[in-house]
Amino acid sequence: MMKASIWAVLAVPAMLAGCGDNRSPAQDAADVAEIRAMHDNPPAVPIDPERISYTDIEKNDLFGAGCGFAPENSLSVIALAQPERGFLKIDGAIVTLSPDKGGASLPMSSWQNYAGSDYAFELKQLPGEGEESGVESTSWPGSLTITDAKGKAVYQSEGTLQCGA
């Protein structure tokens, strides 16, 4: 008698689970695929690129002609684009990126796109008149988009693109 009641206790929840659920195996498979996709392709983790200071420029020999980007309402450059390399500062470290020389160019022989192993950035010169902002520099409206290694946007801002020697 004891064995029969144990089986009844175990079988009832299994039978009840199947009673009210009209889900098809295809719906279950779709749900499983969606959860796997979220696991295998997690959302982008936003970053906050830091100001590239003059000390950073001296310490890492970042001198040279090119373009710098400062976000809106800031004078702090957070991305540098030069003819042979691009730079970001993330978590206190200077990150060096390579230019896409087959893509669009910017003033001062710099490029619109730069990529590295962990991040890439796209620097755009937006429509608008350039203004002389120094003896050998000009500023335009610009935008910066930084993506992670999977191509997901982790930072985006409009601001000022300043190019000069």
Side-chain angles (χ1 to χ4, degrees):
M1 180 79 171
M2 185 68 140
K3 282 187 180 182
S5 63
I6 290 175
W7 284 109
V9 169
L10 293 175
V12 170
M15 291 186 324
L16 290 175
C19 286
D21 196 358
N22 292 329
R23 296 178 53 83
S24 71
Q27 289 170 317
D28 288 339
D31 288 346
V32 169
E34 181 180 352
I35 290 179
R36 282 190 179 149
M38 286 188 304
H39 180 269
D40 294 343
N41 195 15
V45 177
I47 63 167
D48 190 17
E50 300 166 34
R51 176 176 86 88
I52 299 174
S53 68
Y54 189 75
T55 303
D56 294 321
I57 292 169
E58 283 183 325
K59 184 178 174 182
N60 296 282
D61 192 25
L62 309 182
F63 295 103
C67 297
F69 176 82
E72 282 183 323
N73 303 319
S74 175
L75 298 175
S76 298
V77 171
I78 61 170
L80 288 175
Q82 296 178 346
E84 299 299 323
R85 56 197 182 158
F87 303 99
L88 298 169
K89 184 175 180 183
I90 300 172
D91 295 330
I94 296 293
V95 177
T96 303
L97 303 107
S98 298
D100 175 3
K101 293 182 177 183
S105 63
L106 292 172
M108 303 304 296
S109 301
S110 57
W111 303 93
Q112 184 172 301
N113 295 294
Y114 291 78
S117 59
D118 296 326
Y119 297 100
F121 73 74
E122 178 180 55
L123 194 52
K124 288 186 178 178
Q125 180 180 337
L126 300 177
E129 293 293 318
E131 295 180 19
E132 285 190 28
S133 53
V135 176
E136 294 183 31
S137 63
T138 305
S139 296
W140 294 269
S143 70
L144 172 68
T145 301
I146 302 173
T147 55
D148 63 15
K150 293 187 177 196
K152 294 181 180 181
V154 294
Y155 179 86
Q156 201 287 320
S157 178
E158 290 191 355
T160 303
L161 175 68
Q162 184 179 55
C163 301

